[in-house]
Amino acid sequence: MSNLLVNKLFSMVEENKNAAVEAEFDWDAFENEDAGFAANRADLEAQYDKTLSTVAEKEVIDGIVISMNKREVVINIGYKSDGIVSLNEFRYNPELTVGDTVEVYVESQEDKKGQLVLSHKKARALRSWDRVNSALENDEIIKGYIKCRTKGGMIVDVFGIEAFLPGSQIDVKPIRDYDIYVGKTMEFKVVKINHEFKNVVVSHKALIEAELEQQKKEIIAKLEKGQVLEGTVKNITSYGVFIDLGGVDGLIHITDLSWGRVSHPSEIVELDQKLNVVILDFDDDKKRIALGLKQLTPHPWDALDAEMKVGDRVMGKVVVMADYGAFVEIAAGVEGLIHVSEMSWSQHLRSAQDFMKVGDEVEAQIITLDREERKMSLGLKQLKQDPWEGVEAKYAVNSKHAAKVRNFTNFGVFVEIEEGVDGLIHISDLSWTKKVKHPAEFTQIGAEIEVVVLEIDKDNRRLSLGHKQLEENPWDVFETIFATDSTHEGTIVEVFEKGAVVALPYGVEGFATPRHLVKEDGSQAKVDEKLTFKVIEFSKAAKRIILSHSRTFEDVKRAEVSEKKKSESANMKKGVKKMKDSLEKTTLGDISELAALKSQLEKGDK
């Protein structure tokens, strides 16, 4: 019932009352507290009641909003009094205005204060499931109030029912801040109802997908390589930026954001930023679209100074480091590589990180420049004088120098006299006397060592060095001391399968084979035993001394046996002579006797 009709009814009642008062009012009775029109009161009330609707408690009826304030809504349901409903019950409908028809639930015709008690929330709840099911069946668009956040989405008040709005169904683009939607009234579609658990799922995204799909088809149909479009930054990842082209997504790879180095796309763009992009490529279905941003600006190499040439010095900033070198940006988008071999004249293997780090400002010299390929190589060492220029004068043969041990090999020691000037000490040139099996036995990496220049190889930038040459060759003296057949005391310092190493006086070492280590009692000599050895071989050229312990007593025995044999031989010779003399004498006497006997026999015969 409208306000106009209600007011008219009230006016009619008042007019009837006034007429009755004027015609029948008994002032005497009034003075006796008895109104003259009391007899007609029941009739008047009956007439008034006919103008009002019949309202029953616990039912849902429609009412009209007759007034509103910041806290309450006054609703007329055609009853003798209006009802008041809290504005919070209408928060799902911020567009509510005076004159709107709303449904209310009659909780009580009169409370203690005689006030009609209504509830819009309960009215909605009683009819909510019918409305929700109808909205799903008819694909109807409904309004809902977003109450709060929950895990994975939002809780929405729909017809008084708490429905679930998944985060993926809020919008077609990813939502970064759910809180901005809390307290908002939005339009939704019911997408799923679980009657068993009384669960309702709604979607706002479904409302805009159909429109976007149509837009997407129109955009895809018009896509061409090289086309420039405006887009919005939708998402930023470590490998690139996704751009919304108006329902169609494209990807700007990190390498296509800028001509210069980009560590992360967030250095160039930010979320929701609008920018122009160029289409670089797309697949046959146009589902994957490759976009470019840097292609909208000229290539920095095209703006490079035309006068720049090989040999020029340039300043730049280190932007990328690798073990093999460093990339230096000399202008936005123009980089050159300084290989690690161009950072120092030193031949010693080192990493680029030993010389510089990202962010360093460096000066370098252009070594190569290819404008067509857009490549440039730079060098640091070229800014310093080559140490091999005039090396013959600075490091002449037989000159002595201090060096630092840089590396070992099985055949020698690599040392550095100064940065860029390296040399090799052969293992045979480490010591005059000691047999060095590996350089680690003699020195260590990083140690200082004195050297003598033996030979200069300028083509290969290498010096042949010696350490033992710092002293005179002791083998010239050893030749007289350790002559063949001379005997010396020595200590066995090492025993192995082929023999033993024997430490002799003056720091020299000799070698003895196993058969020359047999002692007089037949046992084998052992490590740390101190014995007498005889030199059986001495080689100055090979710096080799062969020793024998067995020969020290074997030669004595051999000499004794030889002397005895010589004595026995002399005695034998004397006996033989005597015998011969005796035999000679005996033979002559016998002959004389035989001759006399013969003469006698001859006389008798006669």
Side-chain angles (χ1 to χ4, degrees):
M1 188 180 295
S2 67
N3 292 333
L4 183 59
L5 181 57
V6 172
N7 293 333
K8 188 174 182 181
L9 287 172
F10 275 108
S11 297
M12 291 172 61
V13 172
E14 289 299 325
E15 289 175 0
N16 289 333
K17 285 182 179 181
N18 293 334
V21 169
E22 291 176 359
E24 301 179 12
F25 188 76
D26 187 351
W27 289 99
D28 295 331
F30 178 74
E31 293 177 355
N32 295 324
E33 298 183 354
D34 184 9
F37 59 88
N40 296 327
R41 182 181 179 85
D43 293 336
L44 292 172
E45 289 181 352
Q47 289 181 9
Y48 178 66
D49 288 340
K50 288 179 181 179
T51 65
L52 302 174
S53 12
T54 302
V55 175
E57 293 184 357
K58 312 302 180 186
E59 72 172 350
V60 178
I61 61 175
D62 289 336
I64 298 173
V65 178
I66 60 174
S67 67
M68 295 173 57
N69 57 36
K70 293 182 178 181
R71 293 189 302 171
E72 298 170 331
V73 178
V74 180
I75 299 175
N76 181 12
I77 62 172
Y79 193 57
K80 60 184 179 181
S81 63
D82 296 329
I84 298 175
V85 179
S86 173
L87 185 62
N88 285 336
E89 296 190 23
F90 295 93
R91 60 187 179 183
Y92 72 93
N93 184 11
E95 298 175 1
L96 182 70
T97 59
V98 173
D100 286 352
T101 300
V102 295
E103 57 188 1
V104 291
Y105 175 78
V106 181
E107 294 194 67
S108 175
Q109 292 180 352
E110 288 185 11
D111 60 8
K112 293 179 180 180
K113 297 180 179 180
Q115 178 68 50
L116 175 65
V117 181
L118 304 175
S119 173
H120 177 65
K121 181 178 180 181
K122 288 184 178 181
R124 292 179 70 222
L126 288 173
R127 295 182 179 178
S128 60
W129 281 104
D130 292 336
R131 291 187 175 182
V132 166
N133 282 282
S134 175
L136 178 63
E137 292 173 3
N138 300 323
D139 199 25
E140 181 184 349
I141 298 174
I142 60 175
K143 287 185 178 182
Y145 174 78
I146 299 177
K147 296 174 65 176
C148 61
R149 281 191 60 177
T150 187
K151 185 177 181 180
M154 317 289 287
I155 298 297
V156 181
D157 182 349
V158 177
F159 303 134
I161 296 175
E162 287 191 347
F164 178 60
L165 173 63
S168 60
Q169 295 298 314
I170 297 176
D171 205 339
V172 291
K173 60 184 178 181
I175 302 302
R176 294 179 291 276
D177 185 7
Y178 286 77
D179 291 331
I180 62 173
Y181 292 92
V182 176
K184 285 188 176 183
T185 299
M186 300 173 63
E187 291 183 334
F188 301 97
K189 274 190 176 183
V190 179
V191 294
K192 184 178 180 182
I193 297 177
N194 187 323
H195 293 281
E196 181 179 356
F197 296 102
K198 299 291 183 180
N199 290 337
V200 178
V201 180
V202 296
S203 171
H204 177 71
K205 177 181 177 182
L207 296 175
I208 55 179
E209 278 185 329
E211 182 181 351
L212 288 176
E213 189 63 29
Q214 183 61 33
Q215 293 180 3
K216 185 175 180 180
K217 289 180 180 179
E218 294 176 1
I219 293 172
I220 288 177
K222 298 177 182 178
L223 288 181
E224 294 180 2
K225 292 182 182 179
Q227 185 179 8
V228 178
L229 299 173
E230 184 182 57
T232 304
V233 178
K234 181 177 181 181
N235 192 20
I236 299 175
T237 68
S238 59
Y239 56 86
V241 179
F242 287 94
I243 303 295
D244 182 0
L245 300 174
V248 180
D249 290 346
L251 173 65
I252 306 177
H253 194 269
I254 188 171
T255 56
D256 291 315
L257 283 170
S258 171
W259 293 113
R261 294 272 179 173
V262 179
S263 300
H264 194 275
S266 57
E267 300 174 4
I268 306 297
V269 298
E270 57 186 21
L271 289 171
D272 299 325
Q273 179 182 352
K274 292 188 179 296
L275 43 82
N276 289 329
V277 292
V278 60
I279 298 176
L280 302 180
D281 201 0
F282 45 75
D283 58 11
D284 294 337
D285 298 330
K286 297 184 179 179
K287 291 182 178 179
R288 295 183 178 180
I289 305 171
L291 304 174
L293 182 63
K294 71 180 185 182
Q295 288 78 5
L296 296 175
T297 58
H299 199 290
W301 272 85
D302 298 335
L304 193 64
D305 187 357
E307 300 297 323
M308 187 176 289
K309 61 185 182 302
V310 172
D312 288 351
R313 293 189 177 191
V314 292
M315 290 294 298
K317 182 179 181 180
V318 178
V319 291
V320 175
M321 291 296 303
D323 288 339
Y324 59 85
F327 289 92
V328 178
E329 187 178 59
I330 65 171
V334 179
E335 296 177 4
L337 171 65
I338 306 179
H339 194 271
V340 66
S341 62
E342 302 297 335
M343 293 182 179
S344 170
W345 290 109
S346 176
Q347 301 284 336
H348 179 59
L349 294 177
R350 294 160 78 179
S351 172
Q353 283 83 354
D354 295 335
F355 297 93
M356 60 188 69
K357 63 182 183 297
V358 174
D360 285 353
E361 295 284 344
V362 297
E363 183 181 20
Q365 182 174 310
I366 299 176
I367 300 175
T368 64
L369 180 61
D370 189 337
R371 293 179 182 270
E372 292 183 2
E373 294 293 327
R374 293 171 174 169
K375 291 182 179 179
M376 180 189 304
S377 62
L378 307 173
L380 285 182
K381 70 182 184 182
Q382 288 76 9
L383 302 181
K384 301 178 182 178
Q385 183 179 0
D386 186 351
W388 276 85
E389 292 181 6
V391 70
E392 296 93 340
K394 192 173 183 180
Y395 301 106
V397 174
N398 294 326
S399 61
K400 298 178 182 180
H401 307 277
K404 179 176 285 188
V405 177
R406 287 297 188 188
N407 196 16
F408 290 148
T409 67
N410 290 331
F411 55 84
V413 182
F414 286 101
V415 299
E416 185 179 64
I417 299 179
E418 69 166 277
E419 183 178 336
V421 180
D422 296 333
L424 171 67
I425 308 174
H426 195 271
I427 193 169
S428 62
D429 290 317
L430 288 172
S431 174
W432 287 111
T433 57
K434 188 176 181 181
K435 294 290 183 181
V436 181
K437 296 179 182 178
H438 192 275
E441 301 173 4
F442 190 85
T443 184
Q444 58 186 2
I445 293 176
E448 295 285 341
I449 187 171
E450 294 291 325
V451 295
V452 174
V453 179
L454 304 180
E455 185 180 347
I456 300 175
D457 185 355
K458 193 170 183 179
D459 293 336
N460 294 317
R461 302 171 73 90
R462 184 64 55 83
L463 300 176
S464 293
L465 306 172
H467 176 70
K468 70 181 184 181
Q469 288 79 3
L470 293 168
E471 301 174 353
E472 293 184 6
N473 189 353
W475 287 88
D476 294 336
V477 179
F478 293 160
E479 188 176 18
T480 59
I481 296 174
F482 300 101
T484 304
D485 292 332
S486 61
T487 58
H488 309 272
E489 281 192 347
T491 302
I492 299 175
V493 294
E494 185 179 0
V495 175
F496 44 94
E497 184 179 353
K498 294 185 177 181
V501 176
V502 181
L504 296 171
Y506 309 108
V508 70
E509 293 179 347
F511 177 77
T513 60
R515 71 185 188 86
H516 288 291
L517 294 172
V518 179
K519 295 192 286 187
E520 195 168 0
D521 60 2
S523 63
Q524 197 77 11
K526 299 179 180 179
V527 175
D528 295 334
E529 280 196 76
K530 191 173 184 180
L531 303 170
T532 302
F533 292 89
K534 176 174 282 191
V535 178
I536 58 177
E537 183 183 337
F538 180 90
S539 174
K540 178 182 176 181
K543 299 179 181 59
R544 183 175 64 242
I545 301 175
I546 305 300
L547 304 171
S548 173
H549 171 67
S550 303
R551 290 279 294 274
T552 58
F553 57 83
E554 287 177 353
D555 287 353
V556 173
K557 289 181 179 180
R558 194 176 293 112
E560 290 177 354
V561 171
S562 179
E563 189 65 30
K564 185 176 181 181
K565 286 182 177 180
K566 286 181 180 179
S567 177
E568 290 176 352
S569 177
N571 292 334
M572 186 177 294
K573 286 181 179 179
K574 289 180 180 179
V576 170
K577 184 177 181 181
K578 188 175 181 180
M579 186 178 294
K580 284 182 178 181
D581 291 344
S582 177
L583 287 174
E584 287 178 358
K585 289 180 180 181
T586 302
T587 302
L588 290 174
D590 291 342
I591 292 173
S592 300
E593 291 179 356
L594 288 172
L597 180 59
K598 183 179 179 183
S599 297
Q600 288 178 2
L601 291 173
E602 288 177 352
K603 287 178 179 182
D605 289 339
K606 289 178 178 182

